[in-house]
Amino acid sequence: MTERKPLRVGMVGYAFMGAAHSQAWRTAPRFFDLPLAPRLTAVAGRDPERVAAAAAKLGWESTETDWRRLIERNDIDLIDICTPGDTHAEIAIAALEAGKHVLCEKPLANSVAEAERMTAAADAAAARGVFSMCGFSYRRTPALALMKRLVDSGAVGQVRHVRAQYLQDWLTDENAPLTWRLDKSKSGSGSLGDIGAHIIDAAQWITGQNISGVSALLETFVKERPVGGDFVGLGGAGQAGGPKGPVTVDDAAIFSARFNGGAGSPGAIGVFEATRFALGRKNAMRLELNGSKASLAFDFEDMNSLWFYDAADEPNAGFRKIQVTEAEHPYTGHWWPVGHGLGYEHAFTHQVVDLVEAIAEGKQPTPSFADALQVQRVLEAVEMSAADESRWTKVEGA
């Protein structure tokens, strides 16, 4: 067997997303026959002790305390960015200009201007055979990938309605501590960019249509939170009676949208909701499409299932559940026997697989930075509309 050329990865950041990406880099070559061999070469973080502990735990060979040193290293081929949004542009542009491939977490940036600069750098790098991808990992959930396949096949017909929700509840406690996700200077926005970006990307990708206009509401229910306490997972328990700091992002976002259609057909209309205040909903990323021939519905809290309604089955039609674990379903044939479902982490593994294969073939992986820029423009239009009494706002470039 011919030894595969290595793809030497340097990762910036090692918390929640860093752990998910590390697991994906470790696992992908063990279940998929990849054309390149990912190697967890180095991880970067500011605190020497913490980054050393993370490297030992997550499987990285070496560490750096400055992401610039990571980019300068000759033994790094790809930079994986798992940091807050305020750092994405600087790191990604520097890496691309240095000839490193880039995987960047979503949303791409904290502003359209930053995303435009990143996209320009990505386009210039691609001309030299250096590629980039934005980490909208839900695209790699088998049931959503099957939804995309069914829409593309014409099984749904003309898509008329899109309903998209992303519901979580980890901020419902008013004493949950103030984290970087609640600081606009670091995160760019709150539920809108953190989780709303996922449903915007999924809806546009699956329908093949871009959002062209929005009317929006944003709300921050809790204006201040404790600055100290026990940080667990995304949130934790704030320090009772201690100092508080301002929450500068949205807690919830709701907007209606029009899609641009194509090929002479009118665009769909959509309703989007993203919140971290939906008590009882832990990670309910939901998408429903109603078309002229059929409907499809998905809920990540039942992530191995896709619901399908075919109007041709009338008068005895009803939604039927497709268990997305068959070998012919997207990605699933590389894993377990039929009926043995996958989990959250598998989407990141599939993301690595698609990225590695695209790099080896010398083609642009998706979603590209240009795709992510379109999402960023929707996020900006939502904020502009909400700040202007929900006035209808067009999405630039749609």
Side-chain angles (χ1 to χ4, degrees), residues 16-17 105-107 109 135-136 138 166 168 170-171 179-182 187-200 234 249-250 274-276 283 379:
F16 172 30
M17 279 297 100
E105 257 304 319
K106 47 54 55 191
F136 284 105
Y138 284 104
Y166 204 143
Q168 297 178 337
W170 60 274
L171 277 178
T179 71
W180 70 265
R181 294 176 187 273
L182 305 179
S187 62
S189 64
S191 60
L192 175 62
D194 185 23
I195 54 180
H198 275 303
I199 54 176
I200 292 168
L234 294 174
V249 299
D250 59 281
T275 180
R276 301 184 287 209
N283 202 49
L379 298 177

PDB file of all heavy atoms in Angstrom, residues 16-17 105-107 109 135-136 138 166 168 170-171 179-182 187-200 234 249-250 274-276 283 379:
ATOM      1  N   PHE A  16     -14.245  24.394  23.216  1.00  0.00           N
ATOM      2  CA  PHE A  16     -15.352  23.584  22.697  1.00  0.00           C
ATOM      3  C   PHE A  16     -15.128  23.171  21.243  1.00  0.00           C
ATOM      4  O   PHE A  16     -15.078  21.983  20.902  1.00  0.00           O
ATOM      5  CB  PHE A  16     -16.646  24.400  22.853  1.00  0.00           C
ATOM      6  CG  PHE A  16     -17.869  23.818  22.201  1.00  0.00           C
ATOM      7  CD1 PHE A  16     -18.041  22.461  22.042  1.00  0.00           C
ATOM      8  CD2 PHE A  16     -18.871  24.661  21.751  1.00  0.00           C
ATOM      9  CE1 PHE A  16     -19.181  21.934  21.444  1.00  0.00           C
ATOM     10  CE2 PHE A  16     -20.015  24.162  21.158  1.00  0.00           C
ATOM     11  CZ  PHE A  16     -20.169  22.795  21.001  1.00  0.00           C
ATOM     12  N   MET A  17     -14.949  24.149  20.353  1.00  0.00           N
ATOM     13  CA  MET A  17     -14.768  23.819  18.944  1.00  0.00           C
ATOM     14  C   MET A  17     -13.428  23.142  18.700  1.00  0.00           C
ATOM     15  O   MET A  17     -13.312  22.266  17.843  1.00  0.00           O
ATOM     16  CB  MET A  17     -14.892  25.073  18.085  1.00  0.00           C
ATOM     17  CG  MET A  17     -16.320  25.482  17.779  1.00  0.00           C
ATOM     18  SD  MET A  17     -17.229  24.239  16.814  1.00  0.00           S
ATOM     19  CE  MET A  17     -18.195  23.429  18.084  1.00  0.00           C
ATOM     20  N   GLU A 105     -13.897  28.411  11.567  1.00  0.00           N
ATOM     21  CA  GLU A 105     -15.212  28.236  12.173  1.00  0.00           C
ATOM     22  C   GLU A 105     -16.166  29.365  11.767  1.00  0.00           C
ATOM     23  O   GLU A 105     -15.762  30.430  11.336  1.00  0.00           O
ATOM     24  CB  GLU A 105     -15.099  28.179  13.701  1.00  0.00           C
ATOM     25  CG  GLU A 105     -15.205  26.776  14.260  1.00  0.00           C
ATOM     26  CD  GLU A 105     -16.470  26.050  13.847  1.00  0.00           C
ATOM     27  OE1 GLU A 105     -17.548  26.665  13.829  1.00  0.00           O
ATOM     28  OE2 GLU A 105     -16.386  24.856  13.525  1.00  0.00           O
ATOM     29  N   LYS A 106     -17.459  29.092  11.931  1.00  0.00           N
ATOM     30  CA  LYS A 106     -18.497  30.055  11.599  1.00  0.00           C
ATOM     31  C   LYS A 106     -18.866  30.885  12.818  1.00  0.00           C
ATOM     32  O   LYS A 106     -18.558  30.478  13.937  1.00  0.00           O
ATOM     33  CB  LYS A 106     -19.735  29.369  11.033  1.00  0.00           C
ATOM     34  CG  LYS A 106     -20.255  28.147  11.779  1.00  0.00           C
ATOM     35  CD  LYS A 106     -20.576  28.205  13.231  1.00  0.00           C
ATOM     36  CE  LYS A 106     -21.530  29.242  13.724  1.00  0.00           C
ATOM     37  NZ  LYS A 106     -21.529  29.337  15.223  1.00  0.00           N
ATOM     38  N   PRO A 107     -19.547  32.042  12.627  1.00  0.00           N
ATOM     39  CA  PRO A 107     -19.644  32.728  11.347  1.00  0.00           C
ATOM     40  C   PRO A 107     -18.266  33.171  10.889  1.00  0.00           C
ATOM     41  O   PRO A 107     -17.339  33.268  11.705  1.00  0.00           O
ATOM     42  CB  PRO A 107     -20.558  33.915  11.644  1.00  0.00           C
ATOM     43  CG  PRO A 107     -20.413  34.153  13.106  1.00  0.00           C
ATOM     44  CD  PRO A 107     -20.174  32.798  13.721  1.00  0.00           C
ATOM     45  N   ALA A 109     -16.807  35.897  10.092  1.00  0.00           N
ATOM     46  CA  ALA A 109     -16.183  37.086  10.667  1.00  0.00           C
ATOM     47  C   ALA A 109     -17.189  37.797  11.551  1.00  0.00           C
ATOM     48  O   ALA A 109     -18.306  37.317  11.754  1.00  0.00           O
ATOM     49  CB  ALA A 109     -15.689  38.002   9.546  1.00  0.00           C
ATOM     50  N   GLY A 135     -16.584  26.482   8.425  1.00  0.00           N
ATOM     51  CA  GLY A 135     -17.073  25.303   9.120  1.00  0.00           C
ATOM     52  C   GLY A 135     -18.548  25.306   9.471  1.00  0.00           C
ATOM     53  O   GLY A 135     -18.889  25.274  10.662  1.00  0.00           O
ATOM     54  N   PHE A 136     -19.413  25.328   8.476  1.00  0.00           N
ATOM     55  CA  PHE A 136     -20.840  25.135   8.733  1.00  0.00           C
ATOM     56  C   PHE A 136     -21.095  23.626   8.783  1.00  0.00           C
ATOM     57  O   PHE A 136     -21.534  23.010   7.814  1.00  0.00           O
ATOM     58  CB  PHE A 136     -21.681  25.816   7.655  1.00  0.00           C
ATOM     59  CG  PHE A 136     -21.753  27.307   7.807  1.00  0.00           C
ATOM     60  CD1 PHE A 136     -21.043  28.153   6.974  1.00  0.00           C
ATOM     61  CD2 PHE A 136     -22.523  27.871   8.819  1.00  0.00           C
ATOM     62  CE1 PHE A 136     -21.110  29.529   7.120  1.00  0.00           C
ATOM     63  CE2 PHE A 136     -22.592  29.257   8.978  1.00  0.00           C
ATOM     64  CZ  PHE A 136     -21.887  30.086   8.126  1.00  0.00           C
ATOM     65  N   TYR A 138     -23.202  21.575  10.090  1.00  0.00           N
ATOM     66  CA  TYR A 138     -24.494  20.896   9.965  1.00  0.00           C
ATOM     67  C   TYR A 138     -24.765  20.427   8.543  1.00  0.00           C
ATOM     68  O   TYR A 138     -25.593  19.540   8.334  1.00  0.00           O
ATOM     69  CB  TYR A 138     -25.625  21.802  10.462  1.00  0.00           C
ATOM     70  CG  TYR A 138     -25.682  21.882  11.975  1.00  0.00           C
ATOM     71  CD1 TYR A 138     -25.213  22.997  12.653  1.00  0.00           C
ATOM     72  CD2 TYR A 138     -26.173  20.827  12.728  1.00  0.00           C
ATOM     73  CE1 TYR A 138     -25.235  23.071  14.029  1.00  0.00           C
ATOM     74  CE2 TYR A 138     -26.202  20.875  14.107  1.00  0.00           C
ATOM     75  CZ  TYR A 138     -25.728  22.008  14.757  1.00  0.00           C
ATOM     76  OH  TYR A 138     -25.747  22.064  16.130  1.00  0.00           O
ATOM     77  N   TYR A 166     -33.479  27.531  15.455  1.00  0.00           N
ATOM     78  CA  TYR A 166     -32.392  26.972  16.261  1.00  0.00           C
ATOM     79  C   TYR A 166     -32.679  27.415  17.691  1.00  0.00           C
ATOM     80  O   TYR A 166     -32.542  28.581  18.044  1.00  0.00           O
ATOM     81  CB  TYR A 166     -31.029  27.476  15.794  1.00  0.00           C
ATOM     82  CG  TYR A 166     -29.892  26.535  16.168  1.00  0.00           C
ATOM     83  CD1 TYR A 166     -28.818  26.341  15.315  1.00  0.00           C
ATOM     84  CD2 TYR A 166     -29.892  25.836  17.381  1.00  0.00           C
ATOM     85  CE1 TYR A 166     -27.771  25.485  15.665  1.00  0.00           C
ATOM     86  CE2 TYR A 166     -28.873  24.984  17.717  1.00  0.00           C
ATOM     87  CZ  TYR A 166     -27.808  24.806  16.855  1.00  0.00           C
ATOM     88  OH  TYR A 166     -26.784  23.955  17.200  1.00  0.00           O
ATOM     89  N   GLN A 168     -32.099  26.859  21.820  1.00  0.00           N
ATOM     90  CA  GLN A 168     -31.325  26.379  22.953  1.00  0.00           C
ATOM     91  C   GLN A 168     -31.838  27.062  24.225  1.00  0.00           C
ATOM     92  O   GLN A 168     -32.610  28.016  24.149  1.00  0.00           O
ATOM     93  CB  GLN A 168     -29.834  26.698  22.758  1.00  0.00           C
ATOM     94  CG  GLN A 168     -29.189  26.014  21.571  1.00  0.00           C
ATOM     95  CD  GLN A 168     -27.727  26.404  21.394  1.00  0.00           C
ATOM     96  OE1 GLN A 168     -27.290  27.452  21.862  1.00  0.00           O
ATOM     97  NE2 GLN A 168     -26.962  25.564  20.713  1.00  0.00           N
ATOM     98  N   TRP A 170     -29.495  27.449  27.241  1.00  0.00           N
ATOM     99  CA  TRP A 170     -28.407  27.526  28.218  1.00  0.00           C
ATOM    100  C   TRP A 170     -28.215  28.913  28.822  1.00  0.00           C
ATOM    101  O   TRP A 170     -27.450  29.075  29.767  1.00  0.00           O
ATOM    102  CB  TRP A 170     -27.100  27.019  27.602  1.00  0.00           C
ATOM    103  CG  TRP A 170     -26.604  27.764  26.396  1.00  0.00           C
ATOM    104  CD1 TRP A 170     -26.966  27.533  25.100  1.00  0.00           C
ATOM    105  CD2 TRP A 170     -25.649  28.825  26.370  1.00  0.00           C
ATOM    106  NE1 TRP A 170     -26.290  28.396  24.264  1.00  0.00           N
ATOM    107  CE2 TRP A 170     -25.465  29.207  25.019  1.00  0.00           C
ATOM    108  CE3 TRP A 170     -24.911  29.498  27.344  1.00  0.00           C
ATOM    109  CZ2 TRP A 170     -24.600  30.214  24.611  1.00  0.00           C
ATOM    110  CZ3 TRP A 170     -24.045  30.500  26.949  1.00  0.00           C
ATOM    111  CH2 TRP A 170     -23.882  30.850  25.605  1.00  0.00           C
ATOM    112  N   LEU A 171     -28.937  29.915  28.343  1.00  0.00           N
ATOM    113  CA  LEU A 171     -28.844  31.256  28.922  1.00  0.00           C
ATOM    114  C   LEU A 171     -30.090  31.667  29.701  1.00  0.00           C
ATOM    115  O   LEU A 171     -30.193  32.820  30.128  1.00  0.00           O
ATOM    116  CB  LEU A 171     -28.568  32.290  27.823  1.00  0.00           C
ATOM    117  CG  LEU A 171     -27.111  32.448  27.392  1.00  0.00           C
ATOM    118  CD1 LEU A 171     -26.990  33.457  26.265  1.00  0.00           C
ATOM    119  CD2 LEU A 171     -26.235  32.881  28.562  1.00  0.00           C
ATOM    120  N   THR A 179     -19.844  35.379  29.326  1.00  0.00           N
ATOM    121  CA  THR A 179     -18.777  34.745  28.550  1.00  0.00           C
ATOM    122  C   THR A 179     -18.504  35.569  27.293  1.00  0.00           C
ATOM    123  O   THR A 179     -19.232  36.523  26.981  1.00  0.00           O
ATOM    124  CB  THR A 179     -19.173  33.322  28.130  1.00  0.00           C
ATOM    125  OG1 THR A 179     -20.194  33.393  27.122  1.00  0.00           O
ATOM    126  CG2 THR A 179     -19.689  32.524  29.318  1.00  0.00           C
ATOM    127  N   TRP A 180     -17.473  35.190  26.558  1.00  0.00           N
ATOM    128  CA  TRP A 180     -17.124  35.937  25.349  1.00  0.00           C
ATOM    129  C   TRP A 180     -18.256  35.915  24.325  1.00  0.00           C
ATOM    130  O   TRP A 180     -18.370  36.836  23.501  1.00  0.00           O
ATOM    131  CB  TRP A 180     -15.829  35.399  24.732  1.00  0.00           C
ATOM    132  CG  TRP A 180     -15.929  34.022  24.108  1.00  0.00           C
ATOM    133  CD1 TRP A 180     -15.625  32.840  24.696  1.00  0.00           C
ATOM    134  CD2 TRP A 180     -16.351  33.704  22.773  1.00  0.00           C
ATOM    135  NE1 TRP A 180     -15.832  31.792  23.824  1.00  0.00           N
ATOM    136  CE2 TRP A 180     -16.271  32.296  22.639  1.00  0.00           C
ATOM    137  CE3 TRP A 180     -16.793  34.452  21.691  1.00  0.00           C
ATOM    138  CZ2 TRP A 180     -16.609  31.634  21.451  1.00  0.00           C
ATOM    139  CZ3 TRP A 180     -17.136  33.804  20.503  1.00  0.00           C
ATOM    140  CH2 TRP A 180     -17.041  32.405  20.398  1.00  0.00           C
ATOM    141  N   ARG A 181     -19.109  34.903  24.361  1.00  0.00           N
ATOM    142  CA  ARG A 181     -20.221  34.835  23.411  1.00  0.00           C
ATOM    143  C   ARG A 181     -21.249  35.944  23.643  1.00  0.00           C
ATOM    144  O   ARG A 181     -22.112  36.182  22.791  1.00  0.00           O
ATOM    145  CB  ARG A 181     -20.909  33.465  23.498  1.00  0.00           C
ATOM    146  CG  ARG A 181     -20.027  32.322  23.037  1.00  0.00           C
ATOM    147  CD  ARG A 181     -20.707  30.975  23.222  1.00  0.00           C
ATOM    148  NE  ARG A 181     -19.805  29.873  22.939  1.00  0.00           N
ATOM    149  CZ  ARG A 181     -19.601  29.337  21.732  1.00  0.00           C
ATOM    150  NH1 ARG A 181     -20.270  29.801  20.695  1.00  0.00           N
ATOM    151  NH2 ARG A 181     -18.752  28.340  21.562  1.00  0.00           N
ATOM    152  N   LEU A 182     -21.177  36.612  24.801  1.00  0.00           N
ATOM    153  CA  LEU A 182     -22.114  37.690  25.123  1.00  0.00           C
ATOM    154  C   LEU A 182     -21.473  39.061  24.959  1.00  0.00           C
ATOM    155  O   LEU A 182     -22.076  40.078  25.330  1.00  0.00           O
ATOM    156  CB  LEU A 182     -22.618  37.507  26.548  1.00  0.00           C
ATOM    157  CG  LEU A 182     -23.252  36.150  26.851  1.00  0.00           C
ATOM    158  CD1 LEU A 182     -23.688  36.064  28.302  1.00  0.00           C
ATOM    159  CD2 LEU A 182     -24.423  35.878  25.934  1.00  0.00           C
ATOM    160  N   SER A 187     -17.693  38.382  19.696  1.00  0.00           N
ATOM    161  CA  SER A 187     -18.543  37.422  18.987  1.00  0.00           C
ATOM    162  C   SER A 187     -19.256  38.004  17.773  1.00  0.00           C
ATOM    163  O   SER A 187     -19.761  37.250  16.935  1.00  0.00           O
ATOM    164  CB  SER A 187     -19.588  36.858  19.947  1.00  0.00           C
ATOM    165  OG  SER A 187     -20.439  37.896  20.419  1.00  0.00           O
ATOM    166  N   GLY A 188     -19.346  39.335  17.677  1.00  0.00           N
ATOM    167  CA  GLY A 188     -20.031  39.942  16.544  1.00  0.00           C
ATOM    168  C   GLY A 188     -21.517  40.096  16.753  1.00  0.00           C
ATOM    169  O   GLY A 188     -22.096  41.144  16.485  1.00  0.00           O
ATOM    170  N   SER A 189     -22.163  39.041  17.223  1.00  0.00           N
ATOM    171  CA  SER A 189     -23.583  39.077  17.581  1.00  0.00           C
ATOM    172  C   SER A 189     -23.851  37.923  18.528  1.00  0.00           C
ATOM    173  O   SER A 189     -22.942  37.148  18.844  1.00  0.00           O
ATOM    174  CB  SER A 189     -24.477  38.992  16.335  1.00  0.00           C
ATOM    175  OG  SER A 189     -24.313  37.753  15.671  1.00  0.00           O
ATOM    176  N   GLY A 190     -25.098  37.772  18.967  1.00  0.00           N
ATOM    177  CA  GLY A 190     -25.431  36.734  19.932  1.00  0.00           C
ATOM    178  C   GLY A 190     -26.003  35.495  19.272  1.00  0.00           C
ATOM    179  O   GLY A 190     -25.348  34.835  18.466  1.00  0.00           O
ATOM    180  N   SER A 191     -27.258  35.181  19.611  1.00  0.00           N
ATOM    181  CA  SER A 191     -27.891  34.006  19.026  1.00  0.00           C
ATOM    182  C   SER A 191     -27.940  34.112  17.504  1.00  0.00           C
ATOM    183  O   SER A 191     -27.876  33.104  16.797  1.00  0.00           O
ATOM    184  CB  SER A 191     -29.303  33.828  19.588  1.00  0.00           C
ATOM    185  OG  SER A 191     -30.098  34.961  19.298  1.00  0.00           O
ATOM    186  N   LEU A 192     -28.031  35.318  16.994  1.00  0.00           N
ATOM    187  CA  LEU A 192     -28.105  35.522  15.545  1.00  0.00           C
ATOM    188  C   LEU A 192     -26.902  34.914  14.838  1.00  0.00           C
ATOM    189  O   LEU A 192     -27.058  34.103  13.913  1.00  0.00           O
ATOM    190  CB  LEU A 192     -28.213  37.017  15.234  1.00  0.00           C
ATOM    191  CG  LEU A 192     -28.170  37.395  13.746  1.00  0.00           C
ATOM    192  CD1 LEU A 192     -29.339  36.795  13.001  1.00  0.00           C
ATOM    193  CD2 LEU A 192     -28.127  38.910  13.584  1.00  0.00           C
ATOM    194  N   GLY A 193     -25.698  35.305  15.234  1.00  0.00           N
ATOM    195  CA  GLY A 193     -24.515  34.803  14.557  1.00  0.00           C
ATOM    196  C   GLY A 193     -24.056  33.452  15.054  1.00  0.00           C
ATOM    197  O   GLY A 193     -23.525  32.645  14.279  1.00  0.00           O
ATOM    198  N   ASP A 194     -24.269  33.173  16.329  1.00  0.00           N
ATOM    199  CA  ASP A 194     -23.789  31.932  16.924  1.00  0.00           C
ATOM    200  C   ASP A 194     -24.546  30.727  16.387  1.00  0.00           C
ATOM    201  O   ASP A 194     -23.951  29.752  15.925  1.00  0.00           O
ATOM    202  CB  ASP A 194     -23.914  32.023  18.448  1.00  0.00           C
ATOM    203  CG  ASP A 194     -23.325  30.824  19.167  1.00  0.00           C
ATOM    204  OD1 ASP A 194     -22.465  30.141  18.581  1.00  0.00           O
ATOM    205  OD2 ASP A 194     -23.715  30.576  20.320  1.00  0.00           O
ATOM    206  N   ILE A 195     -25.868  30.794  16.427  1.00  0.00           N
ATOM    207  CA  ILE A 195     -26.659  29.650  15.964  1.00  0.00           C
ATOM    208  C   ILE A 195     -27.542  29.996  14.758  1.00  0.00           C
ATOM    209  O   ILE A 195     -27.818  29.145  13.916  1.00  0.00           O
ATOM    210  CB  ILE A 195     -27.503  29.058  17.113  1.00  0.00           C
ATOM    211  CG1 ILE A 195     -28.369  30.118  17.786  1.00  0.00           C
ATOM    212  CG2 ILE A 195     -26.591  28.381  18.127  1.00  0.00           C
ATOM    213  CD1 ILE A 195     -29.220  29.578  18.937  1.00  0.00           C
ATOM    214  N   GLY A 196     -27.973  31.266  14.659  1.00  0.00           N
ATOM    215  CA  GLY A 196     -28.767  31.662  13.505  1.00  0.00           C
ATOM    216  C   GLY A 196     -28.014  31.498  12.201  1.00  0.00           C
ATOM    217  O   GLY A 196     -28.604  31.165  11.161  1.00  0.00           O
ATOM    218  N   ALA A 197     -26.702  31.708  12.231  1.00  0.00           N
ATOM    219  CA  ALA A 197     -25.895  31.548  11.015  1.00  0.00           C
ATOM    220  C   ALA A 197     -26.022  30.135  10.459  1.00  0.00           C
ATOM    221  O   ALA A 197     -26.019  29.929   9.234  1.00  0.00           O
ATOM    222  CB  ALA A 197     -24.437  31.876  11.311  1.00  0.00           C
ATOM    223  N   HIS A 198     -26.127  29.143  11.346  1.00  0.00           N
ATOM    224  CA  HIS A 198     -26.251  27.756  10.896  1.00  0.00           C
ATOM    225  C   HIS A 198     -27.532  27.540  10.082  1.00  0.00           C
ATOM    226  O   HIS A 198     -27.512  26.885   9.034  1.00  0.00           O
ATOM    227  CB  HIS A 198     -26.241  26.810  12.090  1.00  0.00           C
ATOM    228  CG  HIS A 198     -24.881  26.422  12.559  1.00  0.00           C
ATOM    229  ND1 HIS A 198     -23.947  25.813  11.743  1.00  0.00           N
ATOM    230  CD2 HIS A 198     -24.291  26.536  13.782  1.00  0.00           C
ATOM    231  CE1 HIS A 198     -22.849  25.562  12.441  1.00  0.00           C
ATOM    232  NE2 HIS A 198     -23.031  25.997  13.678  1.00  0.00           N
ATOM    233  N   ILE A 199     -28.656  28.038  10.576  1.00  0.00           N
ATOM    234  CA  ILE A 199     -29.906  27.780   9.853  1.00  0.00           C
ATOM    235  C   ILE A 199     -29.995  28.621   8.582  1.00  0.00           C
ATOM    236  O   ILE A 199     -30.625  28.199   7.606  1.00  0.00           O
ATOM    237  CB  ILE A 199     -31.141  27.981  10.756  1.00  0.00           C
ATOM    238  CG1 ILE A 199     -31.157  29.355  11.429  1.00  0.00           C
ATOM    239  CG2 ILE A 199     -31.226  26.859  11.787  1.00  0.00           C
ATOM    240  CD1 ILE A 199     -32.409  29.618  12.256  1.00  0.00           C
ATOM    241  N   ILE A 200     -29.357  29.783   8.570  1.00  0.00           N
ATOM    242  CA  ILE A 200     -29.303  30.571   7.333  1.00  0.00           C
ATOM    243  C   ILE A 200     -28.519  29.802   6.278  1.00  0.00           C
ATOM    244  O   ILE A 200     -28.959  29.643   5.134  1.00  0.00           O
ATOM    245  CB  ILE A 200     -28.664  31.947   7.599  1.00  0.00           C
ATOM    246  CG1 ILE A 200     -29.581  32.800   8.474  1.00  0.00           C
ATOM    247  CG2 ILE A 200     -28.367  32.672   6.284  1.00  0.00           C
ATOM    248  CD1 ILE A 200     -28.916  34.044   9.033  1.00  0.00           C
ATOM    249  N   LEU A 234     -21.094  25.716  27.641  1.00  0.00           N
ATOM    250  CA  LEU A 234     -21.221  27.039  27.043  1.00  0.00           C
ATOM    251  C   LEU A 234     -21.475  28.112  28.083  1.00  0.00           C
ATOM    252  O   LEU A 234     -21.162  29.277  27.870  1.00  0.00           O
ATOM    253  CB  LEU A 234     -22.369  27.033  26.021  1.00  0.00           C
ATOM    254  CG  LEU A 234     -22.163  26.168  24.777  1.00  0.00           C
ATOM    255  CD1 LEU A 234     -23.430  26.145  23.938  1.00  0.00           C
ATOM    256  CD2 LEU A 234     -20.989  26.663  23.951  1.00  0.00           C
ATOM    257  N   VAL A 249     -24.985  41.690  23.166  1.00  0.00           N
ATOM    258  CA  VAL A 249     -25.479  40.983  21.977  1.00  0.00           C
ATOM    259  C   VAL A 249     -26.943  40.624  22.177  1.00  0.00           C
ATOM    260  O   VAL A 249     -27.511  40.785  23.262  1.00  0.00           O
ATOM    261  CB  VAL A 249     -24.667  39.694  21.714  1.00  0.00           C
ATOM    262  CG1 VAL A 249     -23.210  40.018  21.459  1.00  0.00           C
ATOM    263  CG2 VAL A 249     -24.807  38.711  22.879  1.00  0.00           C
ATOM    264  N   ASP A 250     -27.556  40.104  21.124  1.00  0.00           N
ATOM    265  CA  ASP A 250     -28.944  39.668  21.191  1.00  0.00           C
ATOM    266  C   ASP A 250     -29.053  38.315  21.884  1.00  0.00           C
ATOM    267  O   ASP A 250     -28.187  37.450  21.743  1.00  0.00           O
ATOM    268  CB  ASP A 250     -29.520  39.560  19.770  1.00  0.00           C
ATOM    269  CG  ASP A 250     -28.739  38.581  18.901  1.00  0.00           C
ATOM    270  OD1 ASP A 250     -27.653  38.961  18.406  1.00  0.00           O
ATOM    271  OD2 ASP A 250     -29.193  37.441  18.720  1.00  0.00           O
ATOM    272  N   ALA A 274     -33.912  32.175  16.108  1.00  0.00           N
ATOM    273  CA  ALA A 274     -32.741  31.679  16.839  1.00  0.00           C
ATOM    274  C   ALA A 274     -32.786  32.247  18.254  1.00  0.00           C
ATOM    275  O   ALA A 274     -32.924  33.456  18.436  1.00  0.00           O
ATOM    276  CB  ALA A 274     -31.453  32.102  16.147  1.00  0.00           C
ATOM    277  N   THR A 275     -32.691  31.388  19.242  1.00  0.00           N
ATOM    278  CA  THR A 275     -32.740  31.845  20.625  1.00  0.00           C
ATOM    279  C   THR A 275     -31.963  30.905  21.528  1.00  0.00           C
ATOM    280  O   THR A 275     -31.869  29.699  21.256  1.00  0.00           O
ATOM    281  CB  THR A 275     -34.188  31.962  21.134  1.00  0.00           C
ATOM    282  OG1 THR A 275     -34.177  32.420  22.494  1.00  0.00           O
ATOM    283  CG2 THR A 275     -34.920  30.633  21.064  1.00  0.00           C
ATOM    284  N   ARG A 276     -31.417  31.470  22.601  1.00  0.00           N
ATOM    285  CA  ARG A 276     -30.779  30.661  23.636  1.00  0.00           C
ATOM    286  C   ARG A 276     -31.600  30.729  24.923  1.00  0.00           C
ATOM    287  O   ARG A 276     -31.089  30.474  26.002  1.00  0.00           O
ATOM    288  CB  ARG A 276     -29.341  31.161  23.841  1.00  0.00           C
ATOM    289  CG  ARG A 276     -28.530  31.061  22.539  1.00  0.00           C
ATOM    290  CD  ARG A 276     -27.078  31.437  22.651  1.00  0.00           C
ATOM    291  NE  ARG A 276     -26.819  32.842  22.807  1.00  0.00           N
ATOM    292  CZ  ARG A 276     -25.709  33.461  22.384  1.00  0.00           C
ATOM    293  NH1 ARG A 276     -24.786  32.757  21.740  1.00  0.00           N
ATOM    294  NH2 ARG A 276     -25.515  34.743  22.594  1.00  0.00           N
ATOM    295  N   ASN A 283     -30.761  21.598  21.857  1.00  0.00           N
ATOM    296  CA  ASN A 283     -30.070  21.893  20.594  1.00  0.00           C
ATOM    297  C   ASN A 283     -31.013  21.581  19.435  1.00  0.00           C
ATOM    298  O   ASN A 283     -30.705  20.776  18.562  1.00  0.00           O
ATOM    299  CB  ASN A 283     -28.772  21.104  20.463  1.00  0.00           C
ATOM    300  CG  ASN A 283     -27.804  21.757  19.494  1.00  0.00           C
ATOM    301  OD1 ASN A 283     -27.534  22.951  19.568  1.00  0.00           O
ATOM    302  ND2 ASN A 283     -27.274  20.980  18.567  1.00  0.00           N
ATOM    303  N   LEU A 379     -26.800  38.219   7.961  1.00  0.00           N
ATOM    304  CA  LEU A 379     -26.705  38.629   9.363  1.00  0.00           C
ATOM    305  C   LEU A 379     -26.719  40.147   9.483  1.00  0.00           C
ATOM    306  O   LEU A 379     -27.403  40.711  10.350  1.00  0.00           O
ATOM    307  CB  LEU A 379     -25.424  38.072   9.993  1.00  0.00           C
ATOM    308  CG  LEU A 379     -25.271  36.547  10.067  1.00  0.00           C
ATOM    309  CD1 LEU A 379     -23.911  36.186  10.657  1.00  0.00           C
ATOM    310  CD2 LEU A 379     -26.389  35.907  10.865  1.00  0.00           C
TER     311      LEU A 379
END
